Amino acid sequence: MALSMIESLFSQASYTSQEEIDRICQGVLENLYAPDKTNECMNQLRQLYFILQASHTEPCLPRNMISTLVNMVSSMDHDKTKECLLCEQILAELLPREQEDLGSDFYPSSNYQNATSSANCFPLYLMQGNKKFCLADVIPHAVRWMSSGKADFNVQRQAFCFLVSLQVLHNRLVNEETMKTVNSTASDWLMNASLYQLPNPYTINPFKKDQAPVVNEVDGTPSRNFFTVLNIGQYYTNDQFLNIYSFSMLYKWLYHSQTSTEEASDVASKSAHVFKSLVDKSIDYCFRILDQCERKPKVPSDIDLQNCCLLEVVNVLDMICKIEPGHVARVFQEVRRLYQRLMHELDKPRLLIPVLQFFLNHGKSVEHDPQEAYTLFFHKLLTQCYLDPAFSFDTITFIKDNLETLCHNTNVLSTYFPNILKMLAWNPRSYLADFEEILPALMSPNTAIEVFHMLLDLPCVTVALEITERCKKSEVQTLSTEAEPTSSLSAFQSALYRPMFNFFTRVEGGHGDTINRLSLFHNILGDMNQHPRVLVCSQVVPVLLRIWFDVVLDDASSDFLSHLIPVLLERTAFLYNIPGYQGDVRKVLAENVVHLLKKYPEILYDQASEIKDFLISPRNISGREEFFANLVWCVGELCSVRHDNRCTAETITRFFDTLEVLTYELSGMSSANLKEEISNPSKIICMLMSSISKLASKCQDLIPRSILLLTKVAKQQQTSFLDTEIKDAVVGRAQELINLLKLPNFANVVLNPDDEIETGRWHRDNTSLPITLRCVQHILS
């Protein structure tokens, strides 16, 4: 109901008339500076902002209204902070605009007295973009205010923020001279901040002449080195604040500055020349923070501050080594030392991700083998921390960012894919899109079948993880010898079933594709098949299965696909019983068995024994009608010497014998029994008759047997209790096939047309069958 109300309000706001907008603007102009109309003015500003948000077209606001909004933002009156911020949001909906609409005070002037109001407008300049060279005119002022000691502290800070944002959004406008000035100023801010705290600004004692105390380290001792973001003080000076701001934006500035230099032609020389001062001092600053992070914090909450700084430091050092590879050897030693420390402090798993990224990016330069770090992270840490949402997100982001490197240069993904898939099993709704991209990299010729089994059993993995977590919280840890557990929880505590749970929660691949007694395990998990997480997981499996089949059909060899056929035949029967899940998965398998056999028809000969064993039993039809029907179609369509020279008359006869026996058995069953076994028996019978006729047309010695079978089926169907319409369709199909088979040469052309029929040539060539039939019909009529 609340959602419908919101939609109704948006709908009303989107059709607000221009007269109503003018009335609101007039009210704002009248009430903005009236002390007793503050609430009324705020409501009108909110209403105007809501209309701008909901409107499908840009409403027309009076010029004096727009200039008033600009003045409010530029002044940033402390008594009207809320109004100023709301005016800024309204302008964000209106910009960019023509210069005339914004007023003469929108752009900065050269005097320092106007610097504060212009600095307040920096966000608006970014929204305006370079329309009428707006940004190009602003940049010199921002650079001058940032680098000048005359400018106010807030102006310097805002100017730096503006230039960093400019580098992110419009880096082509930032020239080399601007980068030099920013680098030099930021370097000074990083290294030259005062070590003394600001005296308490809220107390004045004219008789106390003592010097302000020195800032402290995180462990409480007075600092004896230069100031960093990890120094603790009660009050901070302006230059200390600039130090903190510059470090917080250092990575963004370096990253996007490096991107802009890469786009230039003289990449190497320009990069080294422009960044030398900032790079050298940034390294010293980062090393200082690494040393500070080894101190034990006096206040426990400062541990989080240390962890955040470590993340940022490693990212900055990684970027510096990309800009100037000559620093890799020096930086690598410090990062390696940090890794050795983190190995013994596994309570900080997220900190290892940027370290791992650093090893991945620069390990080759110093001939470092990161396998130890991979094993620690993907084996031990991931096993312990896959439940942590932040850790899972960072891990999946790391995998996606380095997918090509991890796939081609390491065996991490193909080794630890069971552990990686746990994150999807636990958060299926969150990470489906990510794993659509990651899944192909988890597959290799040796692991693709195991990945396939794990995808089919992914809901079981979710159940196993859920039960494992429940048991960790319970006090019962000993294994019982109960023969028949009554629930998933009791099965986990059973010595008989615990190995099955262990298999589905394994860390590494390569320990077997699946397990024996899989059906038994599915049954014992029956009480969890309605769990919300399990249901969502079951919905992502068909999506990932389609991607899996796309990969193997594109890249796998015929030998691999040949070995896949018995797996498909087996797994259509063994699926976890979740409402709708078995049908969705079997539909995917049914679609792709056709694609697979059409691409490599020779598999029919290679796996003839497995396929015949599957087709001979009517029990394999129940619940799997579409898969069964598609396999029957493939046999009739593709078992031909045209597709495989080994498909001789003997091979065709063996397949014919199998289908013949099955057709007699099905047609001889009573209608009631047939309906119990098969939901759509007429479809299966029609498919069998068609495939038998196709096989007979390819081996004409089988035509008499085929005609006899079709005749008996037609007679049996006439006396069945099927619906009249369905019965007539089956009998009519049988009679059509009989009539075709009585003309063997004609039957072979109709039932087994040349592959070129799909190209359209048969519908254009004067000698083709369709053209000939149309001519004969025309003559006879």
Side-chain angles (χ1 to χ4, degrees), residues 449 452-453 456 513 563-572:
I449 295 292
F452 175 70
H453 281 289
L456 292 177
D513 296 337
H563 289 101
L564 178 60
I565 286 293
V567 177
L568 295 182
L569 300 179
E570 179 187 24
R571 286 313 305 261
T572 53

Side-chain angles (χ1 to χ4, degrees), residues 615-618 621 628 655-670 674 678 684-686 688-689 692 702-717 738:
L615 294 177
I616 197 66
S617 175
I621 306 176
F628 194 94
F655 275 114
F656 183 93
D657 293 342
T658 300
L659 299 184
E660 182 185 41
V661 171
L662 178 63
T663 307
Y664 276 127
E665 186 171 354
L666 291 179
S667 61
M669 295 173 65
S670 66
L674 199 58
I678 309 172
I684 299 296
I685 291 174
C686 284
L688 284 166
M689 291 191 302
I692 284 172
L702 301 174
I703 287 180
R705 290 171 58 185
S706 180
I707 292 175
L708 177 62
L709 180 144
L710 293 171
T711 303
K712 289 186 176 181
V713 169
K715 289 180 179 179
Q716 289 169 338
Q717 293 301 311
I738 290 171

Side-chain angles (χ1 to χ4, degrees), residues 225-239:
N225 209 325
F226 61 87
F227 180 89
T228 74
V229 68
L230 277 180
N231 285 120
I232 309 299
Q234 189 173 7
Y235 301 100
Y236 294 98
T237 61
N238 287 342
D239 61 341

Side-chain angles (χ1 to χ4, degrees), residues 641-654:
V641 70
R642 190 172 70 223
H643 295 109
D644 187 353
N645 293 331
R646 297 173 297 173
C647 284
T648 59
E650 183 181 357
T651 303
I652 293 173
T653 300
R654 286 200 294 267

Side-chain angles (χ1 to χ4, degrees), residues 290 301 346 348 366 394 525 533 600:
L290 290 176
S301 60
L346 296 181
K348 304 174 182 177
V366 292
D394 287 348
L525 301 183
R533 181 176 276 118
Y600 293 108

Side-chain angles (χ1 to χ4, degrees), residues 356-419:
L356 209 61
Q357 183 68 64
F358 185 90
F359 289 164
L360 201 66
N361 291 341
H362 309 292
K364 286 185 179 179
S365 301
V366 292
E367 298 184 357
H368 170 72
D369 183 6
Q371 189 58 46
E372 178 191 14
Y374 293 151
T375 303
L376 173 69
F377 185 83
F378 286 99
H379 187 286
K380 191 171 185 177
L381 281 181
L382 189 52
T383 302
Q384 296 174 356
C385 305
Y386 67 89
L387 296 178
D388 181 355
F391 178 81
S392 295
F393 177 83
D394 287 348
T395 301
I396 290 173
T397 302
F398 169 77
I399 292 173
K400 286 178 60 181
D401 290 344
N402 302 279
L403 201 58
E404 186 173 350
T405 303
L406 292 174
C407 181
H408 297 298
N409 299 341
T410 75
N411 62 351
V412 168
L413 300 181
S414 58
T415 300
Y416 298 107
F417 70 85
N419 233 15

Side-chain angles (χ1 to χ4, degrees), residues 81 104 141 280 340 421 456 460 477 587 621 656 682 723:
T81 302
S104 59
H141 299 286
D280 292 341
Q340 296 291 348
L421 283 170
L456 292 177
C460 298
Q477 296 293 335
K587 182 178 180 180
I621 306 176
F656 183 93
S682 58
D723 294 340

